[in-house]
Amino acid sequence: MVDLKSQYQKIKEEINAGIQEVLDSTAFVKGRKVGIFQKNLENYLNVKHVIPVGNGTDALQIALMALGLKPGDEVITPTFTFVATAEVVALLGLTPVLVDVDFDTFNISVESVKKAITPKTKAIVPVHLFGQNADMEELMQLAKQHNLYVVEDACQSIGSVYTFSNGQKAQSGCMGDIGCTSFFPSKNLGCYGDGGAIFTNNDELAKKMRVIANHGMDVRYYHDVVGVNSRLDSIQAAVLDVKLKYLDDYIKARRHAADYYDKAFAGNPKITIPARSPESTHVFHQYTVKLNGIDRNDLQKVLAQKGIPAMIYYPVPLHLQKAYKTDRYKSGDFPVAVQLCECVLSLPMHTELEEEQLEFITECTLILKNA
Ligand SMILES: *Cc1c(COP(=O)(O)O)cnc(C)c1O
């Protein structure tokens, strides 16, 4: 699914030099590299504050902690996604309110959000799934109308650009009150361990989140709020600072692979290619097709026999997961998410896919087209 080895080989000298610098400094935590990477990422994203943290899940948790919500407050988030979003909501004693997604884009359905808003709703956490921004214009309008916070889960979408109807452009994660991303190795900007970051243009929230991420401490050993310990270490920052320079090239390589897949499957009634939203660029964290009239298990097996991995993101929607089942949902809820879980398949997608590999993958995928 990913080829981190080939990617590393191409930038080995720069990466090794960056890591060596940290080793020589022995400033493993809060070293110079962290500050440098933070500034460079702020410039790339054109956002006022980047707060580096330990991972993407921490980023989401710290973001929600900064909003001053009370137990029982409701946070709306999609049911078709990775679990982290709903998890941190639940961990904080807030109530996750899951909603359905759009069949074409896989992203949170604005209509579903509208129906889920109650007097207890305090925030919406859209996930820009697979690398494409959710419908932020409508979500921000809705949030404004109902006085809700918007925390973007941009763990899969860093570098994706959204264009509002007035022509204004914004980077993924920099449109809501707060944005969160992950630098997990397989993410579009991945480090060599765990890492994450929070984005915001709001000075007050930025200050709060820096304090929360640092044991609730502004002045050393004086704890004003309950915090956590979450930081990006210097070695990861060194890796990320090198890779950030290549992020646009990496996005291009992913798009090239996606274009190749698109062409190969175009017009095939049994394989629906991922829809591209007119408002958002796509950075293809995943290339996910929908199968119709092809047995997914059979296809996965055929591909596996040829040495091609293909993964199901995600097999079970969150509202049907044991940990998140509640009386709030009834059978038949969220039909789109349920259907997607049954028909999606993600093909290999990374920065190092060669033309030959793409040809092989698409040929093997099409073997079953008449099955
Ligand atoms: C990866 C991911 C996360 C969590 O990031 P970690 O760094 O693994 O904690 C959260 N949300 C989404 C949508 C993700 O893809």
Side-chain angles (χ1 to χ4, degrees):
M1 293 300 284
V2 295
D3 183 358
L4 294 174
K5 203 165 194 173
S6 307
Q7 192 193 57
Y8 168 60
Q9 290 303 332
K10 291 182 187 163
I11 51 172
K12 188 172 176 171
E13 278 177 30
E14 278 178 279
I15 293 273
N16 289 7
I19 293 176
Q20 189 62 51
E21 223 181 289
V22 177
L23 296 180
D24 290 336
S25 76
T26 65
F28 298 117
V29 168
K30 293 191 177 162
R32 215 180 119 248
K33 283 281 181 195
V34 182
I36 293 172
F37 169 64
Q38 177 193 317
K39 281 277 167 301
N40 287 335
L41 188 56
E42 283 167 356
N43 287 338
Y44 178 90
L45 295 172
N46 193 23
V47 72
K48 228 166 149 188
H49 306 279
V50 164
I51 301 155
V53 293
N55 57 64
T57 309
D58 279 3
L60 288 161
Q61 178 174 333
I62 294 162
L64 288 170
M65 285 172 82
L67 300 181
L69 308 185
K70 296 182 305 299
D73 282 350
E74 294 176 357
V75 177
I76 297 176
T77 194
T79 188
F80 182 69
T81 182
F82 182 59
V83 71
T85 340
E87 181 178 64
V88 297
V89 173
L91 274 175
L92 293 173
L94 309 169
T95 304
V97 174
L98 300 169
V99 296
D100 212 350
V101 295
D102 178 73
F103 187 71
D104 293 329
T105 64
F106 308 112
N107 273 325
I108 193 165
S109 149
V110 177
E111 284 313 307
S112 289
V113 175
K114 275 183 195 164
K115 282 187 212 144
I117 294 174
T118 75
K120 285 188 180 168
T121 308
K122 291 287 151 47
I124 308 171
V125 185
V127 181
H128 304 310
L129 205 69
F130 302 150
Q132 186 168 242
N133 289 294
D135 191 346
M136 286 305 289
E137 178 140 2
E138 294 232 21
L139 287 171
M140 292 308 292
Q141 270 170 14
L142 200 58
K144 205 170 172 189
Q145 269 168 28
H146 295 269
N147 202 20
L148 309 175
Y149 289 109
V150 175
V151 176
E152 297 170 68
D153 182 337
C155 288
Q156 302 187 358
S157 61
I158 194 163
S160 170
V161 175
Y162 187 88
T163 307
F164 290 89
S165 55
N166 66 4
Q168 201 188 330
K169 289 181 192 293
Q171 286 280 339
S172 192
C174 304
M175 296 172 269
D177 298 282
I178 304 173
C180 299
T181 204
S182 164
F183 303 126
F184 185 77
S186 64
K187 297 287 156 88
N188 287 26
L189 179 60
C191 58
Y192 293 172
D194 274 309
I198 307 171
F199 320 140
T200 187
N201 284 306
N202 181 317
D203 297 340
E204 200 183 320
L205 284 175
K207 180 157 192 237
K208 269 194 191 161
M209 292 190 288
R210 281 201 181 94
V211 167
I212 291 169
N214 186 27
H215 296 291
M217 173 165 88
D218 188 13
V219 179
R220 203 158 194 193
Y221 303 125
Y222 289 82
H223 307 273
D224 299 338
V225 293
V226 176
V228 296
N229 170 26
S230 189
R231 20 183 204 233
L232 182 72
D233 72 65
S234 310
I235 287 181
Q236 301 311 333
V239 170
L240 288 165
D241 201 46
V242 172
K243 289 183 70 175
L244 178 60
K245 288 189 284 185
Y246 298 100
L247 181 57
D248 285 340
D249 292 336
Y250 290 158
I251 291 172
K252 266 188 215 142
R254 287 173 178 275
R255 268 191 205 133
H256 175 76
D259 288 344
Y260 191 102
Y261 285 142
D262 275 1
K263 273 200 202 104
F265 304 136
N268 190 316
K270 296 185 176 180
I271 302 175
T272 306
I273 60 177
R276 302 203 189 188
S277 141
E279 294 86 24
S280 173
T281 64
H282 204 319
V283 294
F284 289 100
H285 175 60
Q286 297 297 345
Y287 185 89
T288 303
V289 296
K290 287 178 283 228
L291 303 177
N292 175 25
I294 298 179
D295 187 287
R296 186 167 60 176
N297 289 336
D298 287 351
L299 179 55
Q300 252 185 322
K301 255 182 242 155
V302 167
L303 292 173
Q305 278 160 9
K306 306 269 184 190
I308 301 168
M311 301 288 285
I312 299 166
Y313 303 123
Y314 296 91
V316 182
L318 298 183
H319 72 283
L320 298 180
Q321 299 279 0
K322 254 191 217 162
Y324 296 94
K325 266 189 192 168
T326 81
D327 296 342
R328 182 182 279 274
Y329 314 118
K330 45 187 194 314
S331 140
D333 272 356
F334 316 138
V336 176
V338 171
Q339 192 188 347
L340 286 175
C341 288
E342 278 162 17
C343 71
V344 288
L345 190 67
S346 296
L347 296 176
M349 173 51 78
H350 54 81
T351 60
E352 311 302 313
L353 281 164
E354 307 275 354
E355 205 86 357
E356 231 171 69
Q357 293 172 303
L358 289 165
E359 195 181 330
F360 185 63
I361 296 166
T362 49
E363 271 172 14
C364 294
T365 306
L366 289 167
I367 287 175
L368 267 189
K369 93 175 164 196
N370 296 317

